Amino acid sequence: MPFSIIEPLNQKLELEWVVDAPCQVFLKREDLLHSQVSGNKLRKLKYSITKALETQKNTLITFGGAYSNHIAAAAAAGKIVGLDTIGVIRGEELEDKYKDNPTLSFAESCGMRFKFVSREHYRLKDTHPYLNKLTSQYPEALIIPEGGTNALAIKGCEEILTRKDSSFNYICTTVGTGGTLAGLVSASKEHQQIVGYSALKGTFQDSEVKKYTQKTNFEIKGDSTFGGYAKIDSDLVRFMNTFKENTGILLDPVYTAKMMYGIVQDIKNGYFPENSRILAIHTGGLQGIEGMNQKLKRKNLPQIKV
Ligand SMILES: *Cc1c(COP(=O)(O)O)cnc(C)c1O
């Protein structure tokens, strides 16, 4: 495996500027795993890439939206290991203007080729007929689902937690598809509660997690979604900027900022018992800031400071 993963540091957070915390909070800096394949996307891709190489595939095909961290990570990872990459991208209208989009420009610079498809077409992406057709069209390709979530991804995400982390009684993560949460739950100890902060409306990820683990020591919270996936307002931007000023750590607007905001609220409202030891996972995603700042500018909202 050409990615050397060093165990990331658990950095202690001083949060007195925002909350009087009667517990200890640490942030696992998975965002520093790799400069281009950051955080949970590296964890999620690791074993799929190993499998692609072992089975002599020459291409990765995967799916995502215009700002997808997974698309950026898959493109970069493919380039590093010498696999071609094809991104099936939601939104036909992007065909003529994707060069203005920092995520897709980056992916293209890594050699990814795109298929821009309508939303109706995109919805078929997990169906058997569609996948069978894709497989016969590209027999030498490994197909990875949107967000990278499959059984191999769960195995990769189990490796986020190490033996040393058993001293924590709460593990917090952000939740998209739920793959990362499933890996953490699967790797957790009995005395640990895994708290997932949803980045999108609804808590349908519950059943996704249950597909991969029998353990039930987890909860998905939906109070800090800021209205839904990739939705953001000036309060969240302000929170991200003061968090950066006070801790030196950059959060991403789609996932980790909403988790951190949720953790602070939950400390304030007494959800975590006194003397809890909390380990939050910084799952990365910083590549998305540039695209988000473009959107914020168009809406005359404050910029995320990098
Ligand atoms: C994709 C992503 C997630 C969501 O992970 P899931 O396994 O889909 O729940 C969380 N954080 C970041 C930074 C991501 O890029």
Side-chain angles (χ1 to χ4, degrees), residues 1-2 48-57 81-83 142:
M1 182 67 193
S48 283
I49 287 178
T50 306
K51 179 180 163 191
L53 296 172
E54 281 172 5
T55 54
Q56 270 88 45
K57 303 286 187 195
V81 302
L83 290 167
L142 182 77

Side-chain angles (χ1 to χ4, degrees), residues 171-208:
I171 311 289
C172 298
T173 188
T174 163
V175 186
T177 62
T180 304
L181 177 61
L184 292 170
V185 172
S186 170
S188 68
K189 304 274 187 253
E190 239 166 71
H191 68 274
Q192 296 179 317
Q193 176 75 2
I194 319 301
V195 186
Y197 291 86
S198 185
L200 28 91
K201 262 192 235 157
T203 49
F204 65 91
Q205 305 103 326
D206 201 75
S207 57
E208 190 66 19

Side-chain angles (χ1 to χ4, degrees), residues 149-177:
T149 297
N150 56 20
L152 294 173
I154 311 303
K155 178 172 155 170
C157 288
E158 288 171 355
E159 294 173 359
I160 296 172
L161 289 182
T162 68
R163 231 176 21 183
K164 273 198 284 190
D165 299 329
S166 59
S167 71
F168 292 96
N169 47 351
Y170 285 93
I171 311 289
C172 298
T173 188
T174 163
V175 186
T177 62

Side-chain angles (χ1 to χ4, degrees), residues 12 16 58 173-174 183 215 234 256 266 277 294 305:
K12 184 155 199 285
E16 59 286 345
N58 61 17
T173 188
T174 163
K215 295 185 190 170
S234 47
T256 51
D266 280 343
R277 280 176 53 81
Q294 288 181 349
K305 292 192 198 127

Side-chain angles (χ1 to χ4, degrees), residues 27 173-174 197-199 224-226 231-233 235-241 243-244 249-265 281-286 289 292 304:
L27 191 61
T173 188
T174 163
Y197 291 86
S198 185
S224 58
T225 65
F226 287 79
K231 296 264 169 49
I232 185 170
D233 63 15
D235 278 350
L236 188 63
V237 176
R238 216 170 298 121
F239 175 77
M240 292 174 73
N241 288 340
F243 188 88
K244 171 88 190 326
I249 301 168
L250 192 57
L251 300 170
D252 88 290
V254 178
Y255 295 102
T256 51
K258 294 179 180 182
M259 168 191 72
M260 214 51 242
Y261 188 95
I263 291 173
V264 168
Q265 296 312 313
I281 314 295
H282 192 322
T283 43
L286 303 179
I289 292 175
M292 186 59 86
I304 300 160

